[in-house]
Amino acid sequence: MSDLPGIVVTGASGRMGQMLMRTISDSPRARLIGALERPGHDWIGQDVGVAMGGAELGIKVTDDPLEAFASAQAVIDFTAPAATVEFATITAQARCVHVIGTTGLSDSDIKKLDAAARHAVIVRAGNMSLGVNLLTQLTKRVAAALDEDFDIEVIEAHHNQKVDAPSGTALMLGEAAAEGRGVSLDNVSDRGRDGITGKRERGHIGFSAIRGGDIVGEHDVLFAAPGERIVLRHLATDRGIFARGALKAALWGIGRKPGAYDMLDVLGLNEN
């Protein structure tokens, strides 16, 4: 058992943190060796299994990433941009794989992550599921096949606790559509329509966000032209798909050369 890769989960008390820890604990291919939370959190010092309402796992929740990452082969991180950037510096020093599912990262944040990836493996994706990554590839291909007579809209729905919009997955799909069209998303992105906005700009890619209840994640890419519409859709009903994808990414990254990777690399779908 001790020969299995050791994995640390950040943001241990969150929905994804708890799902990740259960997934790793149940896996025959990895072992949970650490759980990290922010300083001052109620879980600090508790056994993580007990904190989750179950049996002891023999792992105390800590707020010290240096200590937690020192003996890890991989860190799985679904937290907040500032924390993720800080963790990336430490994972690079520890030479362990850093799997990032954090959304809402700025261009500046991503540049810092890319700098850390010169020293360690970073796998970053707006969504870790197989289905969504297939949807991304389909979106790129359909966008490349259709001209600007087809308007493109990305519609996403999530639970009422999600703090960023559009979702990381929606942006990933928008990037795929823009790449298929051979344009920069920054130049054609339409968000937050309200009031008298004027007619839709030809060639632009629109985004709409829905927040409510306990929706795990729903994403539609709509291609609409006069007289016809094409809709590509992915519905997530179980948060476990993201945890299983993140664990797959962590195990894939162990032993790889330092660099910035994504789930298309992990799944062998990258066309580059």
Side-chain angles (χ1 to χ4, degrees):
M1 188 73 175
S2 61
D3 294 335
L4 295 176
I7 299 180
V8 173
V9 172
T10 66
S13 70
R15 294 185 186 194
M16 272 307 303
Q18 295 188 51
M19 179 64 73
L20 284 162
M21 290 188 294
R22 292 190 180 100
T23 299
I24 296 165
S25 296
D26 291 342
S27 173
R29 301 180 61 204
R31 59 196 173 99
L32 181 69
I33 64 166
L36 192 72
E37 258 302 342
R38 63 186 182 277
H41 195 279
D42 292 344
W43 282 25
I44 302 299
Q46 292 191 54
D47 182 277
V48 72
V50 174
M52 289 194 293
E56 287 191 6
L57 293 178
I59 298 165
K60 298 287 188 184
V61 181
T62 181
D63 60 2
D64 184 352
L66 283 171
E67 175 189 8
F69 299 170
S71 58
Q73 279 71 57
V75 173
I76 303 181
D77 176 16
F78 285 69
T79 54
T84 292
V85 170
E86 178 185 349
F87 296 151
T89 300
I90 302 170
T91 55
Q93 292 170 353
R95 298 297 192 269
C96 59
V97 178
H98 190 182
V99 176
I100 299 173
T102 302
T103 57
L105 294 160
S106 67
D107 290 343
S108 174
D109 294 330
I110 292 170
K111 286 179 181 178
K112 292 173 183 175
L113 297 179
D114 287 342
R118 291 198 290 267
H119 307 286
V121 173
I122 290 182
V123 182
R124 181 178 65 85
N127 194 298
M128 298 284 174
S129 86
L130 171 60
V132 162
N133 283 278
L134 288 171
L135 176 61
T136 301
Q137 292 295 81
L138 289 171
T139 297
K140 179 180 175 181
R141 292 185 180 186
V142 173
L146 301 176
D147 63 22
E148 291 184 352
D149 286 342
F150 282 82
D151 299 321
I152 303 175
E153 292 282 322
V154 181
I155 305 105
E156 53 102 341
H158 284 87
H159 55 85
N160 58 20
Q161 300 301 301
K162 187 167 178 61
V163 299
D164 60 308
S167 69
T169 302
L171 292 171
M172 188 167 71
L173 293 168
E175 289 282 2
E179 188 175 348
R181 285 264 171 97
V183 297
S184 167
L185 182 61
D186 289 341
N187 295 333
V188 297
S189 177
D190 280 341
R191 306 187 196 178
R193 300 186 184 104
D194 186 31
I196 306 299
T197 61
K199 68 178 183 178
R200 193 187 198 284
E201 290 287 339
R202 181 177 171 86
H204 277 207
I205 298 172
F207 291 86
S208 298
I210 297 166
R211 297 289 177 266
D214 61 354
I215 301 170
V216 173
E218 301 178 0
H219 293 87
D220 290 350
V221 184
L222 169 67
F223 297 85
E228 60 181 331
R229 286 176 290 173
I230 300 166
V231 181
L232 305 179
R233 165 172 282 196
H234 180 269
L235 305 179
T237 58
D238 176 8
R239 193 167 276 103
I241 64 173
F242 311 127
R244 292 190 291 272
L247 176 56
K248 182 180 180 72
L251 295 173
W252 176 90
I254 295 171
R256 301 270 171 183
K257 293 181 179 179
Y261 301 93
D262 60 23
M263 283 301 290
L264 297 180
D265 294 307
V266 175
L267 299 170
L269 297 173
N270 217 326
E271 298 175 346
N272 295 332

